[in-house]
Amino acid sequence: MAAGTILLAARGVAKTFRLGKVEVPALRGVDLTVEAGEVALLMGPSGSGKTTLLSILGCILSPSAGSVAVAGRDTAGLPEAELAKVRLAHFGFIFQGYNLFPTLTAEENVRVALDLRGVKGADAVERSREALCAVGLDDKFRMRPRDLSGGQKQRVAIARALVAEPDILLADEPTAALDSETGKAVIAILRELAVTHGRSVVIVTHDPRIAAYADRVIRIEDGRIVGQGQEVL
Amino acid sequence: MIIRIALRNLLHDRVRLAVTLTGVVFAVVLIAVQGGLFVGFTRATSCVIENTEAEIWVASRGVRNFDVTHPLPDHKFHQILGVPGVGRAERFIVRFANWKKPAGGQESVEIIGFDPGSGLGRPWIVTAGSEAALLLPDAVAVDEIYLAKLGVKGLGDRAEINDRRARVVALTRGIRSFTTSPYIFTSYENGLKYASLGRSQSAYVLVRPAPGVTAQALRDAIAAGVPDVDVFTREEFARKTQHYWMFTTGAGMALLIAASLGLVVGGVVVAQTLYATTVDHLPEFGTLRAMGAPGGYIHRIIVAQAVAAALVGYGFGIAVSYFLVGLAERGGASIVLPPGMAVGLFFLTVVMCVTAGLVSIRKVTSIDPAMVFRGA
Ligand SMILES: Nc1ncnc2c1ncn2[C@@H]1O[C@H](COP(=O)(O)OP(=O)(O)OP(=O)(O)O)[C@@H](O)[C@H]1O
Ligand SMILES: [Mg+2]
């Protein structure tokens, strides 16, 4: 993907959750574009709508208003089956709670992402192991999530998100459980994906130390973007 | 990966897996045993008919089954002999009678009086003594399975049938009666006495066609030429008797209902536990959906769980069933589990488990993939 191509474009995205009669506005009109080759950080206080925005950008949650275009295709009004195809074709996700399969080994967890995309057999095993090595888990292929530390689980989740080389990587607090050295190493991997392969990376984080690796920091407060660029730090 | 995920999901909770498999085994064994009894009984009702060389059975009009008979007058026999195409015809007696055990006590028995000369309607498995000895006065053959019931030990033992003397001169093996009254094979001449039939009367006339004549053609010819009789081919009479005992009396329905109960109860247990397994792993299914897994991928995992449970459960279940078949063989009941039925039961088990799994598919179809962001 040529750097500068707009991979992700949100226009006037709003989201209101309804809890019985109470309406909770989580996003109040967000415009945002993310280019190929770019690492964007999404920062803001707890409850400001970061996760909500990330799931709307990833076509997992549909907005109450506004639209999201993925690689130039408007996703508004697409049925869930089509949205699933868009997710499979373009996105890699790192979820806030890891969301690993407790019954599968680290290598198998990673392999699921390839299996979904039709990559099977020895090829899939090899690529899964390479992805685990890339996040420093060379000796943990056969371990189950319950036998891994929080940081190791997070890295398995990262390997799973990276293994299929998605156009757009969406990560929710990917370094929260990592010490600062490993955290930096992980962000470096994500950055390398963006720069050398021309992918987009959007990271939700509270961690100001990783801002140095970002091209752009987007600040969100109370469901609105209140500032963009390195200067907001 | 789909199969691997399915198996790991099942193995994750061993106790629940055990319950799932118990449900499948329960259904398989219940269906196999009840169905096997059904087949065993069905075969028992018509075993004498199907094990004779006579292709045609003639009875007095209105006969409903093999066992309950009305006397056929002697002139019918001669009319039948006169029908063109008849190769051989013999009188044959079937009649309930009273067996008095040597040590006291009574049993109901079913006298089978056949013509030892032609062998039509003879006992087909004789393990001791001889069929020829049945020509002697008062000579009878009983089955090994019923020795205890009849209060005799073996060859040479004496008893009374309808107050007339009887002596065991031959033993048969595995000739079970459906009516709980054991078959007592004897010669036509002896049978006349035991059954208190008039001179030359019989219950049936068994007929073999002359060479080149088909059973159907001869049946039609006898039906047209002899009034006031019912004429059947061997297969027709066997079906009629089976149908009478299994359906007209409700005996067969009871077995079939018990078998379908096994299917329902087993299916419900399996549906419950597969559902619980699916609910346990709902976060993973949600993750798969969020990652963009097509609906079919997730459905295949659930179907694979169901099929795996079916395969293993069937394996255990059919093994237990054949063990019970072996036990029953030594007892009085006959459970018959033909290979075709075992194969049919296999597919039934798979269908049952997959249907049970469909309940879970409804559940996963309704997951909101956004659940993944709410923290697992
Ligand atoms: N499914 C939901 N139903 C109702 N309200 C929700 C739901 N998801 C989020 N919210 C609300 O929307 C607002 C934004 O939530 P969101 O999870 O996007 O915040 P966040 O910025 O990711 O917070 P954190 O940093 O704690 O993860 C919050 O007020 C939250 O309570
Ligand atoms: Mg969040």
Side-chain angles (χ1 to χ4, degrees):
Chain A
M1 211 71 65
T5 315
I6 291 177
L7 281 182
L8 207 49
R11 295 267 163 271
V13 166
K15 181 72 185 180
T16 304
F17 291 106
R18 242 173 229 96
L19 293 170
K21 291 201 170 152
V22 190
E23 297 204 335
V24 184
L27 293 175
R28 306 161 188 263
V30 170
D31 293 305
L32 180 67
T33 57
V34 184
E35 296 172 4
E38 180 181 35
V39 177
L41 293 195
L42 209 49
M43 299 185 77
S46 182
S48 55
K50 305 181 297 292
T51 296
T52 306
L53 179 57
L54 203 68
S55 23
I56 289 174
L57 290 176
C59 301
I60 286 176
L61 194 65
S62 51
S64 312
S67 66
V68 173
V70 179
R73 181 184 183 197
D74 189 357
T75 61
L78 289 183
E80 165 54 27
E82 279 302 310
L83 290 175
K85 280 185 196 159
V86 172
R87 294 200 289 274
L88 200 58
H90 296 288
F91 291 99
F93 295 97
I94 301 169
F95 306 109
Q96 205 165 357
Y98 323 130
N99 292 71
L100 298 178
F101 288 57
T103 58
L104 300 183
T105 64
E107 182 246 298
E108 290 163 342
N109 263 286
V110 175
R111 189 135 53 95
V112 169
L114 291 173
D115 194 60
L116 286 176
R117 292 165 173 89
V119 184
K120 308 198 185 258
D123 187 23
V125 174
E126 180 140 331
R127 283 176 64 180
S128 303
R129 292 184 174 182
E130 279 168 13
L132 284 168
C133 291
V135 293
L137 292 176
D138 316 53
D139 52 349
K140 302 286 186 287
F141 298 158
R142 294 181 169 279
M143 289 176 77
R144 304 280 168 98
R146 66 158 181 272
D147 301 322
L148 295 170
S149 70
Q152 290 167 335
K153 280 190 265 203
Q154 188 114 52
R155 281 185 276 165
V156 175
I158 292 165
R160 180 175 69 183
L162 291 180
V163 71
E165 299 174 358
D167 299 335
I168 308 160
L169 190 105
L170 302 179
D172 203 353
E173 311 261 11
T175 59
L178 305 181
D179 62 75
S180 80
E181 277 313 300
T182 328
K184 280 180 194 160
V186 161
I187 297 298
I189 293 165
L190 300 185
R191 174 153 192 89
E192 140 125 9
L193 178 79
V195 174
T196 58
H197 299 283
R199 314 292 161 108
S200 297
V201 178
V202 180
I203 303 170
V204 169
T205 186
H206 283 109
D207 187 354
R209 287 167 301 179
I210 64 174
Y213 294 85
D215 298 303
R216 184 156 56 121
V217 175
I218 301 154
R219 254 203 103 69
I220 179 166
E221 270 174 35
D222 199 17
R224 284 193 191 86
I225 292 179
V226 295
Q228 294 199 36
Q230 285 292 7
E231 72 280 4
V232 294
L233 278 174
Chain B
M1 274 321 270
I2 286 178
I3 292 172
R4 191 177 299 220
I5 294 172
L7 293 182
R8 297 281 174 81
N9 282 356
L10 285 177
L11 288 169
H12 190 231
D13 187 336
R14 305 285 164 106
V15 175
R16 181 174 300 142
L17 178 62
V19 176
T20 309
L21 293 180
T22 307
V24 181
V25 169
F26 173 82
V28 169
V29 172
L30 201 59
I31 295 169
V33 168
Q34 301 294 329
L37 280 172
F38 184 86
V39 175
F41 283 160
T42 304
R43 289 196 182 169
T45 60
S46 61
C47 67
V48 176
I49 305 169
E50 280 169 311
N51 281 288
T52 171
E53 288 165 337
E55 282 99 330
I56 304 280
W57 286 67
V58 186
S60 59
R61 172 138 300 164
V63 67
R64 300 184 66 189
N65 58 68
F66 170 82
D67 306 85
V68 182
T69 57
H70 293 284
L72 197 60
D74 189 43
H75 66 268
K76 293 296 176 201
F77 174 68
H78 293 286
Q79 285 175 343
I80 292 164
L81 274 183
V83 174
V86 169
R88 176 150 204 158
E90 294 297 341
R91 300 180 181 90
F92 189 68
I93 291 171
V94 176
R95 198 84 170 160
F96 285 102
N98 209 11
W99 172 279
K100 198 179 286 169
K101 300 183 207 175
Q106 308 210 339
E107 278 291 338
S108 168
V109 294
E110 203 168 334
I111 302 295
I112 306 285
F114 70 103
D115 170 53
S118 70
L120 293 186
R122 67 154 164 254
W124 53 98
I125 307 173
V126 175
T127 54
S130 78
E131 185 192 323
L134 291 173
L135 281 166
L136 300 171
D138 309 333
V140 298
V142 302
D143 197 276
E144 292 170 351
I145 339 170
Y146 297 120
L147 282 176
K149 183 178 170 95
L150 296 173
V152 289
K153 288 187 191 63
L155 296 182
D157 278 10
R158 293 168 185 282
E160 280 180 25
I161 299 173
N162 285 354
D163 300 324
R164 289 170 191 275
R165 278 180 307 187
R167 191 162 51 89
V168 178
V169 301
L171 294 181
T172 63
R173 175 169 296 170
I175 302 186
R176 286 189 171 88
S177 143
F178 167 73
T179 60
T180 74
S181 302
Y183 293 132
I184 305 290
F185 283 88
T186 186
S187 68
Y188 170 76
E189 297 298 333
N190 289 333
L192 274 182
K193 278 190 311 179
Y194 292 139
S196 318
L197 285 173
R199 181 82 220 130
S200 299
Q201 283 191 332
S202 64
Y204 299 99
V205 174
L206 305 192
V207 184
R208 301 210 63 189
V213 180
T214 67
Q216 282 75 14
L218 184 57
R219 172 199 60 196
D220 294 343
I222 296 174
V226 183
D228 296 326
V229 294
D230 282 342
V231 193
F232 307 95
T233 62
R234 178 168 50 203
E235 290 69 31
E236 286 167 353
F237 194 45
R239 294 297 94 73
K240 186 180 177 73
T241 292
Q242 289 171 354
H243 189 268
Y244 177 84
W245 287 118
M246 299 324 281
F247 295 107
T248 313
T249 66
M253 281 320 281
L255 292 171
L256 292 183
I257 287 169
S260 20
L261 221 61
L263 189 65
V264 171
V265 174
V268 169
V269 170
V270 175
Q272 289 271 356
T273 54
L274 283 182
Y275 183 79
T277 301
T278 305
V279 169
D280 267 5
H281 297 278
L282 223 44
E284 289 123 271
F285 289 119
T287 303
L288 281 173
R289 299 218 34 198
M291 288 167 75
Y297 192 89
I298 293 165
H299 297 172
R300 288 207 296 279
I301 293 176
I302 289 176
V303 170
Q305 289 176 3
V307 171
L311 292 183
V312 178
Y314 176 82
F316 282 122
I318 206 75
V320 171
S321 303
Y322 274 112
F323 175 72
L324 293 176
V325 167
L327 279 189
E329 198 70 38
R330 273 175 267 151
S334 86
I335 304 176
V336 181
L337 208 51
M341 189 166 134
V343 172
L345 184 52
F346 171 75
F347 288 109
L348 190 65
T349 311
V350 172
V351 169
M352 177 187 84
C353 290
V354 171
T355 310
L358 294 182
V359 181
S360 311
I361 285 187
R362 286 186 49 132
K363 180 73 184 174
V364 290
T365 313
S366 66
I367 328 177
D368 178 4
M371 72 185 279
V372 290
F373 281 114
R374 270 170 242 144

